[in-house]
C-alpha cells in the first residue's frame, strides 16, 4: 500500500507555509478560485515526477518573493515510512529520501506513485503522440524496472546519432550508432507492447463500468514508431538514412511511438463526447492503477484537480465508488463541497483560502 500521510509546503506558489494530513481514502481540498487548490495537487505531482504539469520550467513554482521552495512528504509503503524532501531554486534542485541525498528522481516516483486527472486530461486524445507516450511510459516505468535505464540510453544514443546527422558526418560515422540504437529500441518496444497488451483488458473493463452506453469494443493499437510489420528497425534506419541526413534527425524509432484508441474502427476522439473523453481518460488511469496493483502489490495515489469540471454528478459518484472499491487514496479539489457526493464517513476535508489552510 502506498499512502500519502503528510505534506508540508514552504514558499510554493501562493502557499507560504502549510502542513496537510491525509486519510487513506477520500481527501477533499475545498477553496475558491485562486485559493491554491491546484498548487497543492501540483506540489504532490512535483514531488513524484520532479516537474510541473503546467510548464517544464520551475520558475512559476517558486513563490514570487523568495528564491526557492521546499516540499516534504511522508509516505507509507509496504509497511515502511519514507520521508521525501525536495528543495528547488531556479538553478538547482536537491532531493532527499529519509535524510539521504537522492540523485535519481526515479526513486521519488517509486516511493510516491501518483496519477493525475485535471480538466485538461482529455488532451490525451486530442493532441499529438507525446502525451500518449508519457501515459504509456508512466506504466512501463513501474511495470519493468529496467525501462527507465533503457530509455535514458536510448535518448543518449539517439542524440549522438542526430548530432552526427546534423553535422553532416560521413554515413559510416552516423551508422556507428545504429547497432546500439536498434538493440535498446527493440527492448523498449518489447516492454511497451507487452505493457499495452496487459493494460488493454483493464481499460475495456473500466470503459464498461464508466460508459455502459457504449456497446462497441475498444481496440487499443500500440505503434512502435516504425513500420514493424514491413521491416525490422535496423533496415528501417538503413533505408531511411538519406532522408534522415537531409532532415538532420532520425525520423523513426521509439521516440515516435504512439497508441491509437478505436471503438469499432472509429477513433475514440471522433466517437466520444467531451464528457465521454474525460471518462475514457478516467478508465485509462484506473486501468493503469489496477495493473500497477497486480504487478507490484502497491497502490497509486490518485490526484484529481477540479472534479466537478470533469464530470457530471452521476459520473462523479461512479468514479468515487470505483476509487473506494479499489482502495485507492484520492485527493480531490473542488470549489464547493456540495458538488462532491461523499460516500465515506472518514473523508478528510481541507479548506484553503488565499494560500492558507484554515
Ligand atoms: N509563483 C507564484 N508566487 C505566488 N503566487 C503565485 C505564483 N504562481 C501563481 N500564483 C498564484 O497562486 C494562486 C493560486 O493558484 P492555483 O492555480 O493554485 O488556484 P486554484 O485554487 O486552483 O484556482 P482555480 O479554482 O481557479 O483553479 C493564484 O492567485 C495565482 O495567481
Ligand atoms: Mg485550479
Amino acid at each position: 500500500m502506498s499512502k500519502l500521510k503528510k505534506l508540508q509546503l514552504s514558499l510554493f506558489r501562493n502557499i507560504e507555509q502549510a502542513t496537510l494530513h491525509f486519510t487513506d481514502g477520500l481527501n477533499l481540498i475545498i477553496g475558491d478560485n485562486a485559493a491554491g487548490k491546484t498548487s497543492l495537487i501540483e506540489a504532490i505531482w512535483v514531488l513524484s515526477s520532479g516537474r510541473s504539469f503546467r510548464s517544464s520550467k520551475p520558475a512559476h513554482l517558486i513563490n514570487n518573493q523568495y528564491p526557492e521552495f521546499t516540499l516534504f512528504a511522508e509516505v507509507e509503503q509496504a509497511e515502511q515510512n519514507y520521508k521525501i524532501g525536495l528543495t528547488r531554486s531556479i538553478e538547482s534542485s536537491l532531493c532527499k529520501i529519509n535524510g539521504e541525498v537522492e540523485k535519481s528522481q526515479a526513486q521519488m516516483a517509486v516511493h510516491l506513485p501518483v496519477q493525475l486527472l485535471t480538466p485538461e486530461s482529455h488532451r490525451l486524445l486530442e493532441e499529438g503522440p507525446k502525451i500518449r507516450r508519457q501515459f504509456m511510459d508512466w506504466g512501463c516505468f513501474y511495470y519493468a524496472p529496467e525501462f527507465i535505464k533503457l530509455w535514458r540510453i536510448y535518448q543518449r544514443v539517439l542524440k549522438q546519432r542526430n548530432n552526427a546527422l546534423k553535422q553532416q558526418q560521413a554515413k559510416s560515422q552516423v551508422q556507428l550508432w545504429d547497432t546500439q540504437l536498434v538493440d535498446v529500441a527493440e527492448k523498449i518496444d518489447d516492454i511497451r507492447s507487452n505493457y499495452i497488451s496487459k493494460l488493454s483488458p483493464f481499460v475495456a473493463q473500466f470503459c464498461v463500468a464508466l460508459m455502459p452506453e457504449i456497446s462497441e469494443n475498444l481496440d487499443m493499437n500500440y505503434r512502435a514508431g516504425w513500420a514493424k510489420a514491413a521491416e525490422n528497425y535496423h533496415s528501417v534506419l538503413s533505408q531511411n538514412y538519406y532522408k534522415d541526413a537531409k532532415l538532420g534527425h532520425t525520423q523513426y524509432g521509439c521516440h515516435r511511438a504512439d497508441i491509437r484508441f478505436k471503438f469499432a474502427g472509429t477513433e475514440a476522439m471522433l466517437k466520444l463526447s467531451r464528457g465521454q473523453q474525460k471518462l475514457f481518460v478516467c478508465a485509462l488511469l484506473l486501468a493503469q492503477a489496477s495493473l500497477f496493483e497486480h504487478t507490484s502489490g502497491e497502490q497509486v495515489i490518485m490526484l484529481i484537480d477540479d472534479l466537478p469540471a470533469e464530470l457530471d454528478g452521476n459520473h462523479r459518484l461512479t468514479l468515487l465508488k470505483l476509487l473506494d472499491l479499489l482502495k485507492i487514496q484520492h485527493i480531490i479539489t473542488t470549489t464547493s463541497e456540495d458538488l462532491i457526493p461523499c460516500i465515506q464517513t472518514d473523508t478528510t476535508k481541507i479548506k484553503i483560502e488565499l494560500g492558507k489552510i484554515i
Side-chain angles (χ1 to χ4, degrees):
M1 294 233 294
S2 298
K3 302 287 175 203
L4 177 61
K5 295 286 175 188
K6 182 176 165 185
L7 175 71
Q8 279 181 322
L9 306 93
S10 170
L11 310 177
F12 187 83
R13 286 174 63 82
N14 70 329
I15 302 162
E16 291 205 1
Q17 300 294 333
T19 302
L20 293 84
H21 295 271
F22 298 101
T23 184
D24 288 355
L26 170 60
N27 297 271
L28 263 190
I29 296 172
I30 308 146
D32 289 340
N33 292 136
K37 304 179 299 299
T38 304
S39 303
L40 292 174
I41 294 287
E42 196 171 14
I44 303 169
W45 180 257
V46 168
L47 263 178
S48 172
S49 69
R51 60 195 160 78
S52 159
F53 48 72
R54 299 189 214 231
S55 154
S56 56
K57 298 200 177 91
H60 71 285
L61 300 174
I62 306 166
N63 186 284
N64 291 332
Q65 318 286 324
Y66 296 90
E68 61 181 29
F69 71 78
T70 298
L71 299 172
F72 172 80
E74 275 181 30
V75 183
E76 192 188 303
Q77 191 176 57
E79 289 169 23
Q80 303 250 23
N81 285 320
Y82 294 90
K83 294 183 189 335
I84 304 174
L86 173 69
T87 299
R88 178 118 209 221
S89 66
I90 297 283
E91 303 83 29
S92 67
S93 164
L94 178 69
C95 311
K96 283 188 180 174
I97 297 182
N98 292 343
E100 305 269 320
V101 174
E102 180 57 66
K103 293 245 165 63
S104 158
Q105 178 64 45
Q107 279 311 305
M108 321 257 290
V110 165
H111 296 303
L112 189 57
V114 297
Q115 282 190 313
L116 176 70
L117 192 69
T118 76
E120 283 81 44
S121 290
H122 59 272
R123 284 175 31 223
L124 191 127
L125 294 177
E126 276 176 1
E127 290 191 358
K130 186 176 172 194
I131 191 163
R132 289 183 292 279
R133 277 197 297 277
Q134 282 169 351
F135 160 79
M136 173 161 61
D137 291 349
W138 181 97
C140 292
F141 170 80
Y142 291 104
Y143 177 71
E146 69 278 24
F147 181 80
I148 183 77
K149 198 171 151 215
L150 291 168
W151 182 240
R152 284 187 186 135
I153 299 171
Y154 180 84
Q155 284 182 303
R156 186 169 42 80
V157 180
L158 180 70
K159 200 170 160 197
Q160 310 267 30
R161 189 180 194 270
N162 284 345
N163 280 342
L165 287 165
K166 243 180 244 133
Q167 291 162 11
Q168 300 180 330
Q169 290 181 8
K171 185 176 178 184
S172 57
Q173 288 297 112
V174 173
Q175 290 187 329
L176 277 180
W177 300 108
D178 289 9
T179 314
Q180 223 183 327
L181 195 65
V182 169
D183 177 55
V184 73
E186 283 174 348
K187 289 179 181 143
I188 290 171
D189 175 50
D190 254 7
I191 296 172
R192 280 176 169 168
S193 74
N194 225 311
Y195 178 70
I196 294 300
S197 66
K198 290 255 164 35
L199 187 69
S200 205
F202 287 96
V203 181
Q205 182 191 324
F206 285 110
C207 277
V208 172
L210 289 165
M211 299 180 287
E213 68 278 13
I214 294 187
S215 54
E216 292 91 343
N217 286 338
L218 170 72
D219 184 22
M220 259 172 83
N221 192 350
Y222 161 71
R223 296 182 184 180
W226 66 92
K228 267 173 88 177
E231 302 286 351
N232 67 42
Y233 186 41
H234 210 290
S235 34
V236 169
L237 286 177
S238 305
Q239 281 173 16
N240 286 280
Y241 166 75
Y242 290 105
K243 228 167 150 192
D244 284 356
K246 207 169 153 199
L247 290 167
H249 66 258
T250 309
Q251 294 172 83
Y252 299 106
C254 298
H255 57 293
R256 298 286 303 276
D258 199 359
I259 329 168
R260 309 306 300 176
F261 307 104
K262 287 185 180 175
F263 288 93
T266 308
E267 290 277 350
M269 200 192 73
L270 301 176
K271 168 154 181 77
L272 303 178
S273 74
R274 178 49 64 88
Q276 285 174 327
Q277 289 176 22
K278 293 181 174 188
L279 289 167
F280 183 68
V281 176
C282 290
L284 289 175
L285 295 185
L286 290 172
Q288 282 198 317
S290 297
L291 180 54
F292 176 77
E293 201 201 335
H294 272 253
T295 46
S296 70
E298 294 294 331
Q299 265 142 340
V300 297
I301 299 156
M302 185 78 77
L303 309 175
I304 307 181
D305 191 25
D306 205 355
L307 180 65
E310 291 285 301
L311 308 171
D312 66 37
N314 284 336
H315 288 106
R316 262 174 250 157
L317 187 63
T318 311
L319 178 64
L320 290 176
K321 279 185 180 163
L322 282 173
L323 289 166
D324 197 38
L325 201 73
L326 296 167
K327 299 207 180 324
I328 293 175
Q329 182 183 35
H330 39 304
I331 301 171
I332 291 174
T333 73
T334 177
T335 48
S336 165
E337 203 179 317
D338 303 340
L339 296 169
I340 308 295
C342 283
I343 48 166
Q344 298 162 347
T345 47
D346 62 342
T347 301
T348 288
K349 293 177 189 169
I350 298 162
K351 295 202 173 140
I352 181 163
E353 235 177 61
L354 297 174
K356 290 195 171 52
I357 307 296
I358 51 165

